[in-house]
Amino acid sequence: MDIASIIGLVVATAAILGSILVGGDLGIFIDIPSTLVVGLGLIGVTFFKWPMEVLKNIVAFAMKGFFFSPSDPKSTIEEIGNLAETARRESVFALEKVPIDDPFLKKAMTLAADNRPPEVIASILQLEIDAMIERHKVGVDVFGGMADDGPAMGMIGTLIGLVQMLQNLSDPSAIGPAMAVALLTTFYGAIIANVLCNPLKNKIAYRSGLETTKMNIIIAGTLGIVAGENPRLIKEKLNAFLPPAQRDSGNEEAAAE
């Protein structure tokens, strides 16, 4: 579970509710017609915008903002270094028998053990990365669209409320409450966009970037193994994917020996 997502959602919700409760009654912020305009309107627009094969995965997209498989590039580099040692000590064909949990790394080693040309290996693996990026991009676009459409539906609700209010200007006492209700739809739209949809969009994009980096490490390492490079040199090259603080300085000294 992504603890940062839980903390962020709880703190943001608490800040909003706390501000409401300190300043007045929570009940004045609850309006059924405003909820229908923003909630049902956003659902309708989202269904109109995307096909069912995308919308049936919307819960899975959202869960990526709260649950994820940890991606540790450093451990991936270590594993590739061990595989390179195996290929150097035995042969590249021995890689096919090594137990590997990561499906993408397993596929890369299988291609290497099949003695495929480096350009073919790189092409096949790059297609996998491109397909993954496109899948994740759909989730980013869905929540990005909802972040845009939520406030838009809120504005539509506000305009509806203003039109209704202007029809009753003869009663000055009703103008204040009517204006408050009209503004609630904008409030709901802003909550949907900034507390839910935009954060989910950013988190999905970030996780996708981490996965892409890991897969690029695997491609670079596989090509180094196929080329017969020194395992220590392969690890040193792959360290370029890591932030400087996470790099193993010992690899550089070993590669220079």
Side-chain angles (χ1 to χ4, degrees), residues 46-63:
T46 303
F47 268 79
F48 194 15
K49 185 180 290 185
W50 296 97
M52 281 302 300
E53 58 264 27
V54 170
L55 294 176
K56 69 182 182 182
N57 295 319
I58 194 168
V59 174
F61 293 146
M63 288 300 98

Side-chain angles (χ1 to χ4, degrees), residues 174-257:
I175 294 178
M179 175 65 78
V181 171
L183 291 176
L184 278 179
T185 54
T186 299
F187 173 72
Y188 292 159
I191 293 294
I192 289 173
N194 297 296
V195 177
L196 291 175
C197 295
N198 267 327
L200 281 173
K201 166 191 157 186
N202 291 345
K203 190 59 68 75
I204 294 171
Y206 175 74
R207 295 294 177 203
S208 180
L210 289 181
E211 189 66 21
T212 300
T213 298
K214 177 182 175 181
M215 295 169 83
N216 280 321
I217 289 173
I218 291 173
I219 290 180
T222 303
L223 295 180
I225 292 173
V226 170
E229 294 178 355
N230 186 302
R232 290 173 295 182
L233 178 60
I234 291 175
K235 291 175 67 176
E236 177 60 28
K237 289 168 63 176
L238 297 182
N239 273 340
F241 287 94
L242 300 176
Q246 295 182 15
R247 296 176 187 176
D248 185 0
S249 59
N251 284 340
E252 184 175 355
E253 297 172 3
E257 293 177 359

Side-chain angles (χ1 to χ4, degrees), residues 42-222:
L42 179 59
I43 291 173
V45 169
T46 303
F47 268 79
F48 194 15
K49 185 180 290 185
W50 296 97
M52 281 302 300
E53 58 264 27
V54 170
L55 294 176
K56 69 182 182 182
N57 295 319
I58 194 168
V59 174
F61 293 146
M63 288 300 98
K64 291 183 181 295
F66 296 95
F67 300 95
F68 67 100
S69 300
S71 178
D72 185 0
K74 196 167 185 178
S75 65
T76 300
I77 292 173
E78 286 296 325
E79 187 173 6
I80 291 173
N82 294 335
L83 291 168
E85 290 282 0
T86 300
R88 191 182 193 194
R89 185 176 57 253
E90 301 178 34
S91 72
V92 72
F93 304 107
L95 296 175
E96 195 168 16
K97 301 177 183 178
V98 178
I100 300 172
D101 294 329
D102 187 281
F104 188 75
L105 180 57
K106 178 65 177 177
K107 181 172 185 176
M109 292 302 106
T110 299
L111 291 171
D114 287 345
N115 203 25
R116 302 287 183 89
E119 60 275 12
V120 173
I121 294 175
S123 176
I124 292 174
L125 296 180
Q126 187 59 50
L127 287 174
E128 288 263 357
I129 294 179
D130 293 343
M132 183 205 70
I133 290 174
E134 284 301 314
R135 290 194 301 270
H136 291 177
K137 184 176 180 295
V138 173
V140 171
D141 290 344
V142 167
F143 285 105
M146 292 175 70
D148 293 334
D149 297 334
M153 294 307 303
M155 183 57 66
I156 290 173
T158 297
L159 293 174
I160 293 172
L162 290 175
V163 170
Q164 293 173 342
M165 182 190 71
L166 292 173
Q167 295 294 319
N168 296 287
L169 288 179
S170 58
D171 184 5
S173 64
I175 294 178
M179 175 65 78
V181 171
L183 291 176
L184 278 179
T185 54
T186 299
F187 173 72
Y188 292 159
I191 293 294
I192 289 173
N194 297 296
V195 177
L196 291 175
C197 295
N198 267 327
L200 281 173
K201 166 191 157 186
N202 291 345
K203 190 59 68 75
I204 294 171
Y206 175 74
R207 295 294 177 203
S208 180
L210 289 181
E211 189 66 21
T212 300
T213 298
K214 177 182 175 181
M215 295 169 83
N216 280 321
I217 289 173
I218 291 173
I219 290 180
T222 303

